[in-house]
Amino acid sequence: MTIKDIAKEANVSFSTVSKALNDSPLVKEPTKQRIVALAKEMGYEINTSAKILATGKSNAVGIYCPGITAPEYASYVHELSKQLKRRGFLPALSTSAFQDAKEMFSRLKTAYVIVVDKKEVHFPNVEFTYNPYIDTSDVAGINQYSLKKDAALKAASLLVHSGHRSVLIVSEYDDDWINQVLKRENEFDAVNHVYISTGDLERFFTVIKTTLDQTMPDAIICSSRKLAELTLLVSKSLGLNIPEDSSLIAYDDNVDPSSPVSMFGYSIEKVSEVTADFIFAKINEQEYDYVNLKSEMLLNYTVKL
């Protein structure tokens, strides 16, 4: 089965079928859907070998994510793979050591590589980028501080308007943007800040337990999903009721609906969509209009409204 067979059956040109199967915006959506459905019905599969001979590259897009065990990375990679498939690409995931990933992507002749959770690596003879909407602001032309500040402002505003007067911020690193936003932009009576690493779980539990024993804030804001989920465990071990005793909400680059805590940040689905669009434009040498992502909130039982 070839593209020419599909073109004959659909009564369209060879180039139209090629563009439709690669999700080109130059093909009208009804025509594109008809061609894609027909290709599936006829059992068409992209001839990767032929494409490599013709262009030197396949339709494979590499995804390098050695930290795939992190829930936020796993959810993102899953959604990104789905979005890449919709655009006619073959996602090739590597969670191995860098040298193994480099060999794999080289053999597949990947057209592009997305590095999700590692920096300072280099893939020779292939264009690659760090996740343009999460890891680097220079690739996408987006100011990460502004994005996080916008998200924090929305979360803080929600807490203020729902009657929360005191806040405890829990962060692993110097996420000063959260603290500054809460102090300058809103009217909380008290804002306390705890820096704690998740690398030592025993110390984490001790520090959070001691802090909550000394002061019970109306709300706890964590700078990551992992911190929030661990804080939720500590709260339960102390017999605290969330959100009756204290609301709990977390910032994360990827708002994942599978998390048990309320979150504010950026939708995994939306981030995956714009990343896949970015890759499609780069591979097809098209201009890309950068999308200004807007923060979102996912609220569940951990925030008292």
Side-chain angles (χ1 to χ4, degrees):
M1 182 58 57
T2 68
I3 288 180
K4 290 183 179 180
D5 296 322
I6 300 172
K8 182 178 180 180
E9 186 69 24
N11 195 28
V12 296
S13 68
F14 170 84
S15 63
T16 298
V17 173
S18 178
K19 291 174 183 175
L21 294 179
N22 283 286
D23 200 25
S24 170
L26 299 177
V27 181
K28 293 181 178 179
E29 196 60 33
T31 302
K32 187 186 300 181
Q33 291 179 4
R34 181 168 64 89
I35 292 173
V36 170
L38 184 60
K40 288 183 179 180
E41 182 182 324
M42 297 175 70
Y44 172 77
E45 293 184 3
I46 295 176
N47 189 332
T48 302
S49 298
K51 185 167 185 177
I52 292 175
L53 289 173
T55 66
K57 295 180 180 179
S58 69
N59 67 317
V61 171
I63 303 174
Y64 180 46
C65 185
I68 192 68
T69 53
E72 63 272 21
Y73 288 144
S75 299
Y76 171 68
V77 168
H78 173 76
E79 185 63 33
L80 177 60
S81 298
K82 186 167 64 175
Q83 295 295 336
L84 288 171
K85 284 182 180 179
R86 289 179 180 174
R87 288 155 180 77
F89 297 122
L90 174 66
L93 173 64
S94 175
T95 61
S96 304
F98 173 65
Q99 290 299 327
D100 294 334
K102 186 166 65 172
E103 181 181 353
M104 171 184 168
F105 296 146
S106 176
R107 287 185 177 183
L108 289 174
K109 301 289 184 182
T110 53
Y112 214 92
V113 173
I114 303 171
V115 181
V116 176
D117 64 335
K118 285 286 184 181
K119 295 186 178 181
E120 298 178 4
V121 296
H122 176 65
F123 291 94
N125 304 319
V126 61
E127 190 169 10
F128 71 98
T129 184
Y130 300 109
N131 183 333
Y133 286 90
I134 294 181
D135 289 335
T136 57
S137 58
D138 55 334
V139 175
I142 292 178
N143 186 307
Q144 290 290 327
Y145 181 86
S146 295
L147 289 178
K148 291 182 176 182
K149 181 177 179 180
D150 173 65
L153 275 172
K154 287 184 178 180
S157 178
L158 171 74
L159 294 176
V160 168
H161 287 92
S162 52
H164 298 80
R165 307 309 311 161
S166 59
V167 173
L168 171 65
I169 300 173
V170 180
S171 63
E172 191 164 5
Y173 306 106
D174 187 14
D175 297 307
D176 189 55
W177 52 271
I178 296 181
N179 202 16
Q180 293 303 315
V181 166
L182 295 180
K183 284 184 176 180
R184 296 178 182 176
E185 306 290 345
N186 295 285
E187 298 177 353
F188 290 106
D189 294 334
V191 178
N192 295 309
H193 201 157
V194 172
Y195 294 103
I196 184 67
S197 171
T198 58
D200 186 341
L201 292 182
E202 184 176 350
R203 183 173 183 275
F204 179 90
F205 272 69
T206 300
V207 170
I208 297 301
K209 179 180 182 300
T210 301
T211 302
L212 294 179
D213 279 339
Q214 293 174 349
T215 176
M216 179 52 60
D218 294 332
I220 306 170
I221 301 180
C222 299
S223 62
S224 73
R225 167 182 172 173
K226 184 176 182 179
L227 282 171
E229 292 177 355
L230 287 174
T231 301
L232 181 61
L233 288 176
V234 177
S235 301
K236 289 184 176 180
S237 70
L238 293 174
L240 301 178
N241 291 317
I242 301 293
E244 285 76 15
D245 295 325
S246 183
S247 291
L248 178 63
I249 191 169
Y251 170 84
D252 210 295
D253 291 317
N254 292 317
V255 173
D256 186 357
S258 68
S259 175
V261 299
S262 297
M263 303 179 71
F264 61 100
Y266 303 90
S267 161
I268 281 183
E269 182 177 359
K270 186 61 178 177
V271 170
S272 300
E273 285 180 0
V274 295
T275 302
D277 286 340
F278 173 84
I279 299 302
F280 181 88
K282 294 288 288 185
I283 291 177
N284 291 281
E285 298 181 349
Q286 299 175 357
E287 289 189 8
Y288 179 74
D289 293 328
Y290 288 106
V291 177
N292 289 323
L293 292 177
K294 294 183 178 180
S295 58
E296 301 180 13
M297 275 193 282
L298 177 68
L299 300 178
N300 54 32
Y301 78 93
T302 64
V303 171
K304 186 177 182 179
L305 299 176

